[in-house]
Each structure stands twice: as C-alpha cells, then as structure tokens.
Amino acid sequence: MSARRLGAALLLVPTLGAASGFNLIERDAAGLGRAYAGQAAVIGPAAVSFNPAALPERTEVSVSLHALQNDIQPEDAGEPAAVPTLYGATHLGGASIGAGVYSTFGLSTDYPSDWAGRYSALHSEITTARAHLAGAYPLSPTLRLGAGVFVQWFTAELTSAYPLRGGQDGRVAIEGEDVGLGWSIGALWTPDDRLALGLAYSSAVHHDLDGHTRLPSGSLASSVDATTPESATLGVRWAVREDLALLAGATWTRWSRLQSLDVELASGQTLSEEHQWRDTWRLDLGGEYRRGPWTWRLGTAWDQSPVPDAAHRSARLPDSDRVWLAAGLGYQVGDWTLEAGYAHLWFADRSGEHPAVDYSGSTDILALGVTRSW
C-alpha cells in the first residue's frame, strides 16, 4: 500500500453525530423533546449556543446531560457518548448577557481489529468543547439583536490497520489537537405576544491540528488543516393559544467546506483524501402543551447527510439522511424547572466504499436537565 493510499484510508472525517455529518445539536434537554424544532425562536439560557438574540431578560442557570447510543452495523461499531452542557444568563442595564460550555462536534466509531474494512478504519474519534460568551440588546420593543464570540477546542484520533509481510497487520494512526476562535450573531422579532421569529448564524472555525502520524516505519510529526462549518438557522414559535405552541425551523450547514483533508508530514510529504461533501438542510417541526406545572413536548425532524453518494461513504462515517421522532416532559416547581427528553433517529440503509458492506443503524438519545431562575 502506497503512502498516499495509506493517508487516504485515514483521512475521512470519523464520527457519526446525531445531526448531519458529525455535528452535535444536543445542547438543551427541553429542546430535545421537540427535536429542537424552532430552537432559534426559543428564549432561554441555551440561546447562547442557538441564537444569542433570544437570551432571557432575567437571571437563569441551566445544566443538562445527554446520553447517546449509536447502533452502527455491521460490526456494532457505534459507541455510547455523554454530552454535558452548562449555561448561565443575566440581565444588566437593558441588555442580556450569557455564557455557555457545550460541545458542537463529536462521537466516535470503533470496529474490531479483524473486520473486513480494517484497512480503511478501526477507531475514529472527534472530541470538541466550546466556551461561548454572548449578549443581546433590544433595538425596539419587538426586535432584539445578539452577538457572541467563542473558543473551540478540537481533538481527533484516526486509526486503521496496515498489511505487513507474512500476513500480519500493523496499525497506523493520526492524532492532533488545536484551539480555534469563532463568532455568532442573531436576531429575534416578536411582533406580538403570540409570534416569535428567530434568525441566527454561527461562523466556521479553522483548526491546525498539530500532532503525530504513527506509521509501521516510525512516528512523524504532522499537521492537518480542518475547518468546522458555519451554519444559519431560522426558527418560528407560534402560540396558538395560551397553553399550546407550535414550532418549526430550518438549518443550513456549509459542509461543502470538507472537499478534502490533507495531512502534512514532517518529511515534506502531503497525504490527501477527497470528500466532495455537500451543503445540507435540517427541517424540524414540533409542539408544546402546558397544563399546570407540566409541559409536554413532541417533535420530528429530517436531517440531510453531507455524503453525496455511496462512492464517498466510508466506514469512518457511514452517514445517511435521518429522521427524528422525539418526546419530552417538563415540570416546574417554584423557580426550578426539571426537563427530560428522548429521541430516536432512523438512518436509511446505505452501501459504502466496500461493495460487500451495507451500513445501517439508529441512534437513541436521552437527556435530563434542570434550570434555576431568579
């Protein structure tokens, strides 16, 4: 196997996130219960990560934990993951200020060392953490604008097998990490008490992943240029009546930034892999019904995959379009609100880069959260 083919086998983006590509939208337990429908129009501390213009006009702190279980066939390659979030917001001098710590990209796949596609993928892992500071200010009684800046930490590990003489396998790996900066802006228009329209944009983040590439012949310092994509989200919330609200939204993500990835080795050699990913859309619809201290939620969503066809579908990311079905329940006790949400995601069966392999799977997500208001 040539050095170029060796690098190509390792460079595919590694993880199967719950949203399109390897994106993670799991940043709010209440939002999960309606499949994050209309999230850009929802006021609360989690707006730090969805739409800074929707920060609350009071002090709130929110904590949640999302547990994800991916079932990826063949070889049961999915791995469980836990995604925590922490938000805080307050109101000062007419403006709202918020901060949050959460993850935007991640999860992993892991295959047995003797599976048929081991020369393309064994273990693949992406981990991110984002610290975000944002603010919102009312331009008028019906229009609020928001903006934020964030720091994103990104680390990746990709491994695969390598055929050696004598029928044995060696192992190769690429590891790297980096910290990058980004920004967000948003607007929230509330023409009356029943209708809210939100529009938000989150920037791309460029990373130079400095690390090492371990080959059977030894280890070399290496770097990988990677850019996580920007996204634009539109959300609407309509209070049909005092106890019932309908929500809907659409999100565009510029996954076409990932046309290729290149590994620069200390030896001066460049290992490249073409992806030809496409931009994607996410469409969601949901509702909330309040009765006394209880809030019931339902939602559904369709996530488009950035992988354009079977020729570009890899063992590292056997991605396809997916459908969400979600339900949730909230309970308010004084200034405390407890939230629980569950979602099941269906992935279409899809063929991959190995002609004999058809990938299939699903994802289950359970979230618990608590919010304290003052």
Side-chain angles (χ1 to χ4, degrees):
M1 180 181 288
S2 68
R4 180 169 294 276
R5 174 58 182 158
L6 175 63
L10 286 170
L11 287 173
L12 295 174
V13 179
T15 59
L16 182 61
S20 68
F22 56 99
N23 191 23
L24 285 174
I25 196 175
E26 291 74 24
R27 303 175 226 152
D28 177 50
L32 178 66
R34 48 182 152 72
Y36 298 99
Q39 193 71 39
V42 177
I43 296 174
V48 171
S49 67
F50 291 102
N51 180 5
L55 285 167
E57 296 182 308
R58 60 179 180 176
T59 300
E60 294 188 17
V61 174
S62 175
V63 179
S64 67
L65 181 66
H66 296 71
L68 294 84
Q69 177 60 55
N70 290 302
D71 174 21
I72 305 174
Q73 301 299 330
E75 305 295 348
D76 191 22
E79 290 195 310
V83 183
T85 65
L86 172 63
Y87 302 106
T90 191
H91 194 65
L92 296 172
S96 297
I97 300 174
V101 179
Y102 56 94
S103 181
T104 49
F105 304 96
L107 300 186
S108 64
T109 55
D110 195 65
Y111 294 91
S113 60
D114 59 349
W115 89 289
R118 61 189 179 277
Y119 300 128
S120 290
L122 285 174
H123 179 70
S124 308
E125 185 173 352
I126 280 180
T127 304
T128 66
R130 180 177 288 187
H132 201 151
L133 178 65
Y137 189 81
L139 291 186
S140 72
T142 61
L143 179 63
R144 291 167 58 86
L145 299 182
V149 294
F150 57 81
V151 177
Q152 180 171 280
W153 175 70
F154 189 109
T155 182
E157 178 184 358
L158 316 176
T159 69
S160 69
Y162 181 82
L164 302 175
R165 292 181 181 179
Q168 301 297 314
D169 287 340
R171 182 166 295 198
V172 294
I174 293 175
E175 299 176 352
E177 63 179 340
D178 184 56
V179 175
L181 300 176
W183 53 273
S184 63
I185 56 173
L188 182 69
W189 182 50
T190 53
D192 56 48
D193 293 337
R194 300 178 60 187
L195 182 64
L197 297 171
L199 179 63
Y201 177 88
S202 183
S203 75
V205 181
H206 180 73
H207 290 283
D208 293 315
L209 302 175
D210 294 323
H212 292 82
T213 299
R214 299 195 302 272
L215 307 172
S217 58
S219 179
L220 290 174
S222 62
S223 65
V224 180
D225 287 345
T227 300
T228 57
E230 61 266 54
S231 63
T233 303
L234 175 65
V236 57
R237 185 182 189 276
W238 176 41
V240 180
R241 59 192 196 197
E242 186 175 349
D243 60 351
L244 178 64
L246 299 178
L247 300 97
T251 299
W252 170 83
T253 304
R254 193 182 176 187
W255 281 116
S256 61
R257 281 188 174 276
L258 276 76
Q259 293 298 297
S260 67
L261 287 178
D262 302 316
V263 175
E264 303 288 343
L265 300 179
S267 63
Q269 188 175 11
T270 300
L271 310 176
S272 301
E273 171 67 20
E274 296 295 323
H275 293 287
Q276 298 183 18
W277 273 21
R278 63 187 176 186
D279 297 338
T280 63
W281 284 94
R282 184 183 199 272
L283 305 177
D284 45 58
L285 179 65
E288 296 182 335
Y289 175 69
R290 298 179 182 271
R291 188 172 181 84
W294 297 94
T295 301
W296 284 265
R297 298 181 177 90
L298 289 174
T300 187
W302 170 75
D303 260 321
Q304 184 183 24
S305 171
V307 179
D309 50 45
H312 294 89
R313 183 171 294 117
S314 76
R316 295 194 187 278
L317 186 67
D319 196 31
S320 73
D321 296 350
R322 66 207 74 185
V323 175
W324 291 59
L325 185 60
L329 184 64
Y331 184 74
Q332 185 173 357
V333 184
D335 295 327
W336 296 85
T337 304
L338 307 178
E339 303 287 357
Y342 169 77
H344 183 79
L345 283 63
W346 288 268
F347 294 80
D349 292 351
R350 60 270 195 192
S351 59
E353 62 181 359
H354 306 291
V357 176
D358 287 327
Y359 300 102
S360 64
S362 62
T363 297
D364 291 285
I365 309 169
L366 177 64
L368 300 174
V370 60
T371 299
R372 172 71 159 90
S373 303
W374 289 267

